[in-house]
Amino acid sequence: MSGQADRHWQEGERAVASGNLAMARRAYAAALAEAPRHVPSLLGMSQVAGRLGSHREALAATMAAFHASPQAAPLLFGLARRLRHFNEYEALCECLAHPRFAADAPAQAMAEAAVMLSSIGANSQARALVEKAIQKAPGHAASHYVRGNLRAFAGEFELADEDYARGLTLDPRLFQCSWMRAGLRTQTATSNHVDLLRRQLRSATPGGMGEVYLQYALHKELHDLGDYAEAWIALEKGNAIKRSLVKFDAGESERLLAGLAELCDRTFCTSGGQASQGATPIFIVGMYRSGTTLLERILAGHDEVADAGETYAFAEQMRRATDHATSGPLDGELLRRARECDYAAVGRGYADASRWLSRGKGWFTEKLPANFLLMGFIAKAVPSARFLHMQRDPMDTCFSNLRTLFSDAAAYSYRQDELVGYYKGYRRLMDHWRDVLPGRMLDVDYRKLVLEPEVQARRIADFCGLDYRPAMVEVQREGGDVATASVAQVRGGISTQRREAWRPYEAWLGPMIEGLRDPCCQTSN
């Protein structure tokens, strides 16, 4: 490394620490003028350019760092974080497969890297890495938590429970373990963690995420035990704290949905890119907790379909085309820039990404429910895309949202009024897509799917251009990973019993019940 480049890089780091991003950018540029493959400066430039609003410049710096082939574990870890930020899945896997990373990185970095890999569906690589982390540091609590999650995703619930218990033994304040283990099974009067959860709550920081994890876990376990009054109290507390920690503007959300419908008329949606995709993407869209995981599991039973899971691969192509980063699939600024977007370039970029997502198969699923926001852009850029819209009873869907603790998604779901308002906007937008995308979207009714799975699976396969396979309805089969809140339910097979969980809480759900009486909320099929 050039000594002069190092000095400029250090100047850039000091400028970042003081909040002077313009000065940091100049310092990193000076370092790169001395040594164009100076990885620390490339990573610094990526961070600063992104914070200054230049998504493409930040991406270019990240990819230059990747092609510079860093060898040191700290640089590999920093690079991996940036690659994950830009949804560069193949490069991320390659970066974290470098032997120096597993050999030299501390257990905490290895656990975080395993989470990155798991978030893109690279669970085998994630498991290998976290196993090495535990071998390196058996007392590292977070590594046991991560391994517990990976085991849960694979349906290894007893082993997952052991990891969560071990994580809590090593760090009694790692309350995520308590939250995750509550969902591994149905709790019983003779086997539950209610007393432990209540003791943990006394030690949790009031109003923090630790209390949120514990309140949601307590709600789940009390619900299993039929103590609905106490379960509701726990859910209300968890919802209130989580709502105070997230940003959601109902008015902005309403304007965004209206703006989408105004921009994406039939002419807009049918005149765009013609890039050959190679594999056919099947976008599973709808509300969270509407049965999208079950639908993906059915499709993944087909030997010609790869299940890519919940990715932001298409959203990333829109960010690159508009040179604007969003925290979710869409925001107002991206919508404004989308009017002048190069959709042929979006289609080409998505075709590149789909080679990794499809894993050599002819079809692949994209199961990010919130992609319903991007359907007009997807239809325009990827004419071969198929859309499956999963619909479930409005009360079942909304109550399930209300009692699910999301990570960074569904900020609308922690207050009944905001949840109902968002649901209404979603239904109006889906009506719009039906109108402007005739024949491109198939509505799939959750109740019909669980009552007559083979009939509906045949209908779904036909719409997607696939031949039906009997394995499609064997969702309890071994193999594959389910990395959503539905993991335990889906592993138990298709069930007709998962309806009206909200009934015991009817006395407290007045705003939701009243709001969902609106005719726009009724299921269409």
Side-chain angles (χ1 to χ4, degrees):
M1 274 186 204
S2 162
Q4 188 64 25
D6 284 343
R7 285 190 286 275
H8 286 307
W9 168 69
Q10 290 165 359
E11 291 172 10
E13 296 292 284
R14 289 192 293 271
V16 169
S18 68
N20 192 333
L21 299 185
M23 181 182 290
R25 188 185 227 165
R26 290 193 295 272
Y28 293 137
L32 294 171
E34 294 284 340
R37 293 167 63 85
H38 191 258
V39 173
S41 294
L42 288 167
L43 295 178
M45 182 67 84
S46 177
Q47 290 275 4
V48 167
R51 289 173 64 180
L52 289 172
S54 181
H55 188 73
R56 290 196 289 259
E57 182 185 353
L59 169 64
T62 293
M63 297 313 296
F66 172 72
H67 292 300
S69 302
Q71 305 291 309
L75 293 179
L76 289 165
F77 184 56
L79 174 59
R81 283 180 160 172
R82 297 308 290 163
L83 291 169
R84 180 65 190 91
H85 176 74
F86 292 106
N87 297 280
E88 284 289 340
Y89 302 147
E90 187 172 5
L92 173 64
C93 292
E94 182 179 334
C95 172
L96 292 176
H98 195 291
R100 296 301 337 148
F101 182 72
D104 299 340
Q108 180 62 35
M110 294 170 74
E112 289 184 37
V115 172
M116 292 184 222
L117 291 166
S118 177
S119 74
I120 66 169
N123 288 304
S124 295
Q125 187 177 351
R127 287 188 70 154
L129 193 58
V130 80
E131 291 289 354
K132 291 177 181 177
I134 290 173
Q135 291 172 12
K136 183 179 291 188
H140 187 245
S143 292
H144 287 277
Y145 169 69
V146 173
R147 187 172 69 175
N149 290 348
L150 293 168
R151 286 172 161 176
F153 298 160
E156 300 169 357
F157 299 131
E158 291 185 7
L159 290 173
D161 188 73
E162 291 176 9
D163 264 316
Y164 296 141
R166 179 64 176 156
L168 285 169
T169 298
L170 294 167
D171 180 358
R173 294 181 62 81
L174 191 60
F175 300 132
Q176 297 98 310
C177 290
S178 296
W179 167 59
M180 286 296 292
R181 76 192 307 208
L184 292 177
R185 61 178 174 83
T186 301
Q187 310 298 315
T188 68
T190 57
S191 179
N192 62 76
H193 313 99
V194 169
D195 289 341
L196 172 61
L197 289 167
R198 285 176 167 152
R199 290 196 302 273
Q200 289 176 315
L201 275 166
R202 290 195 287 271
S203 67
T205 302
M209 271 305 299
E211 183 180 358
V212 173
Y213 288 124
L214 294 173
Q215 294 289 6
Y216 274 83
L218 184 60
H219 163 74
K220 164 61 168 63
E221 300 216 2
L222 290 169
H223 175 86
D224 288 350
L225 300 178
D227 189 348
Y228 300 120
E230 289 297 313
W232 177 256
I233 291 172
L235 180 59
E236 271 200 314
K237 289 179 179 177
N239 276 340
I241 298 169
K242 179 65 174 179
R243 180 63 185 87
S244 72
L245 300 174
V246 301
K247 293 181 179 180
F248 177 70
D249 184 326
E252 181 182 358
S253 174
E254 186 175 343
R255 290 189 292 274
L256 183 64
L257 296 179
L260 275 170
E262 183 272 328
L263 171 62
C264 299
D265 58 18
R266 187 173 295 195
T267 300
F268 176 91
C269 292
T270 55
S271 58
Q274 297 295 323
S276 173
Q277 293 296 312
T280 299
I282 304 170
F283 286 86
I284 299 172
V285 300
M287 286 286 286
Y288 288 98
R289 312 298 297 146
S290 62
T292 55
T293 298
L294 173 61
L295 182 51
E296 182 177 55
R297 187 73 175 163
I298 287 171
L299 283 161
H302 198 291
D303 56 348
E304 296 184 60
V305 180
D307 53 335
E310 296 186 355
T311 88
Y312 282 81
F314 186 84
E316 174 60 30
Q317 296 307 315
M318 290 298 298
R319 293 166 185 161
R320 296 178 187 187
T322 58
D323 198 20
H324 174 69
T326 62
S327 57
L330 185 68
D331 65 13
E333 178 60 21
L334 190 144
L335 177 61
R336 184 185 68 78
R337 298 187 185 193
R339 296 177 182 275
E340 304 299 329
C341 194
D342 182 350
Y343 286 93
V346 173
R348 290 192 297 273
Y350 187 72
D352 289 341
S354 70
R355 282 191 283 274
W356 189 86
L357 298 171
S358 63
R359 302 193 293 278
K361 296 190 176 183
W363 287 257
F364 66 98
T365 56
E366 279 266 31
K367 194 205 77 68
L368 182 68
N371 271 328
F372 81 86
L373 294 165
L374 303 180
M375 282 178 60
F377 305 145
I378 296 169
K380 187 178 182 69
V382 188
S384 62
R386 314 290 173 92
F387 300 101
L388 298 176
H389 173 216
M390 194 71 206
Q391 298 184 107
R392 188 181 176 194
D393 175 83
M395 277 299 298
D396 287 340
T397 301
C398 288
F399 182 65
S400 189
N401 271 260
L402 190 71
R403 65 193 296 252
T404 297
L405 175 57
F406 296 95
S407 52
D408 299 323
Y412 56 78
S413 67
Y414 303 105
R415 276 180 32 182
Q416 291 186 55
D417 58 337
E418 291 178 339
L419 175 51
V420 169
Y422 189 87
Y423 185 84
K424 289 179 178 180
Y426 142 75
R427 291 311 303 252
R428 286 191 290 267
L429 187 59
M430 296 313 300
D431 288 342
H432 174 75
W433 296 140
R434 254 184 233 101
D435 180 54
V436 302
L437 297 172
R440 296 288 302 274
M441 178 177 79
L442 180 70
D443 290 311
V444 180
D445 184 85
Y446 177 83
R447 184 168 180 272
K448 290 182 180 179
L449 187 61
V450 300
L451 287 175
E452 47 182 29
E454 182 177 336
V455 171
Q456 294 302 314
R458 288 180 179 277
R459 174 174 172 257
I460 292 162
D462 182 66
F463 175 79
C464 295
L466 293 160
D467 294 325
Y468 172 74
R469 299 283 196 273
M472 294 174 70
V473 296
E474 297 170 2
V475 299
Q476 73 279 12
R477 63 187 176 272
E478 294 185 0
D481 291 281
V482 179
T484 72
S486 302
V487 56
Q489 295 96 319
V490 169
R491 291 289 182 185
I494 296 174
S495 172
T496 61
Q497 305 304 312
R498 299 185 186 115
R499 298 184 63 212
E500 299 194 334
W502 59 272
R503 283 290 181 188
Y505 305 94
E506 191 168 1
W508 299 290
L509 292 173
M512 185 180 294
I513 294 169
E514 182 62 30
L516 293 178
R517 286 185 178 139
D518 191 308
C520 79
C521 297
Q522 303 314 302
T523 300
S524 302
N525 204 30

